[in-house]
Amino acid sequence: MTAAGPDDARLIALFLDMLAAERGAARNTLLAYGRDLEQASAWLDGRLGTAQAPELAQLSAHWAGLARASAARKGSAVRQFLAFLQSDGIRADNPRRDLAAATAARPLPKTLDPRDVDRLFAALADRLAAHPGDPRTLRLAALIELLYGSGLRATELVSMPRHAVRPGRGFIVLAGKGGKERLAPIGSRAEAAVAAHAALVPIAARHLFPSRNGTHLTRLRLYQLVKELAAAAGIPPDRVSPHVLRHAFATHLLEGGADLRTLQTLLGHADIATTQIYTHVASKALVELVNARHPLADRKA
């Protein structure tokens, strides 16, 4: 297998430039697309840009032994690349239909039972009662309240600016995926927890959760803190993570009657299809909602 040919390398670079300029793709996304396309080009001896059905069949054969999610990602990259070449007039046709699609099975998100959430917050309350005013405990309380109360992503949380939370405003302005700004809700509990923690953070600090080296708390440390609290609450640590708390936020809102469009906004999802995964998690509650609220629910057959 050789490297991508010079023509392919130029076309891949143009495609990545388009993703960055027109779609605002994040750096990690660009790196992933670049790797997948360079590898596909190498498998075709530098002929990805001019590939036809036989060459695309070769790619499908190469991907046959990969995990379904990996094959689906690589196929998506190539199909978007070929569509770009046609839309920019670099080639007249678009043979992407000849590329066998490997559909990735989207796993159901892990979540927590409301009783487990209660246990988690009970353990947090015990720590606050035992160590009132302790900076590390107040920081942990603010982190947990924002994860479950606002449904933040781990990166959004740890990188939050020092003055992102303003009393009484009811929402936070965040830098979401791809650097795009989004609004996240913040309830009175989370606001109070953040205020107690922020009172101990230097006014000149750039981040709400600063680290000793002048940047901010790392995602790894956040994961460790969440799992330590889970263990203290008697919950197996492998069942709890920052992302699980975000999923719990979404699932419990849906079970409480929130609609998918509202949930999409609260979670900062660009595509409603991403939000729809929660309907599988909360399907029992949705069936009960239909049976209770539908106009025909109280009529006898």
Side-chain angles (χ1 to χ4, degrees):
M1 187 171 71
T2 60
D7 286 341
D8 273 0
R10 178 179 62 83
L11 296 176
I12 291 170
L14 288 174
F15 172 66
L16 296 179
D17 285 344
M18 180 276 294
L19 289 181
E22 297 181 15
R23 302 186 192 175
R27 181 174 180 274
N28 287 345
T29 301
L30 297 174
L31 290 173
Y33 272 103
R35 283 193 299 267
D36 287 339
L37 292 174
E38 287 168 6
Q39 188 180 59
S41 174
W43 275 335
L44 298 181
D45 296 325
R47 293 177 286 110
L48 179 61
T50 57
Q52 296 295 339
E55 289 81 12
L56 296 179
Q58 289 181 41
L59 283 182
S60 296
H62 277 296
W63 296 338
L66 299 177
R68 189 160 50 174
S70 297
R73 188 194 71 240
K74 292 177 183 296
S76 175
V78 171
R79 278 188 286 274
Q80 290 186 59
F81 173 67
L82 294 174
F84 161 74
L85 296 184
Q86 183 187 39
S87 66
D88 268 33
I90 297 173
R91 61 179 295 168
D93 63 337
N94 182 356
R96 62 179 180 170
R97 294 182 182 274
D98 296 320
L99 186 63
T103 304
R106 179 175 288 178
L108 293 179
K110 294 180 180 179
T111 187
L112 287 175
D113 186 279
R115 291 169 296 184
D116 287 331
V117 174
D118 289 341
R119 292 161 65 188
L120 207 62
F121 278 95
L124 183 58
D126 288 343
R127 287 196 182 187
L128 288 168
H131 307 284
D134 175 59
R136 289 174 297 180
T137 305
L138 292 174
R139 181 185 66 176
L140 179 62
L143 290 168
I144 298 299
E145 290 283 359
L146 287 170
L147 282 171
Y148 179 67
S150 299
L152 304 189
R153 299 180 178 96
T155 300
E156 293 172 341
L157 178 58
V158 296
S159 62
M160 192 181 297
R162 167 69 175 77
H163 302 287
V165 178
R166 297 181 183 176
R169 187 164 64 172
F171 62 88
I172 317 166
V173 180
L174 299 168
K177 272 192 172 180
K180 298 176 182 177
E181 281 194 348
R182 77 176 187 91
L183 300 182
I186 180 168
S188 56
R189 278 179 53 120
E191 191 176 287
V194 169
H197 161 69
L200 303 179
V201 177
I203 296 295
R206 289 182 55 201
H207 299 100
L208 181 59
F209 301 102
S211 64
R212 293 178 181 177
N213 63 7
T215 57
H216 56 69
L217 186 74
T218 65
R219 283 166 45 105
L220 175 60
R221 185 58 184 146
L222 175 63
Y223 274 68
Q224 292 170 340
L225 292 171
V226 170
K227 290 182 180 297
E228 287 169 7
L229 182 62
I235 305 170
D238 61 352
R239 288 182 49 211
V240 186
S241 71
H243 213 59
V244 168
L245 288 174
R246 172 174 160 85
H247 287 319
F249 162 84
T251 304
H252 298 166
L253 273 178
L254 190 60
E255 290 175 345
D259 62 89
L260 283 177
R261 284 294 180 187
T262 300
L263 202 58
Q264 178 189 7
T265 301
L266 295 177
L267 292 170
H269 288 162
D271 189 345
I272 188 67
T274 307
T275 316
Q276 285 173 334
I277 191 70
Y278 291 101
T279 60
H280 298 288
V281 180
S283 57
K284 180 181 177 182
L286 291 175
V287 170
E288 291 174 352
L289 179 65
V290 170
N291 289 336
R293 302 291 180 85
H294 194 278
L296 298 179
D298 58 353
R299 298 188 186 182
K300 294 182 179 180

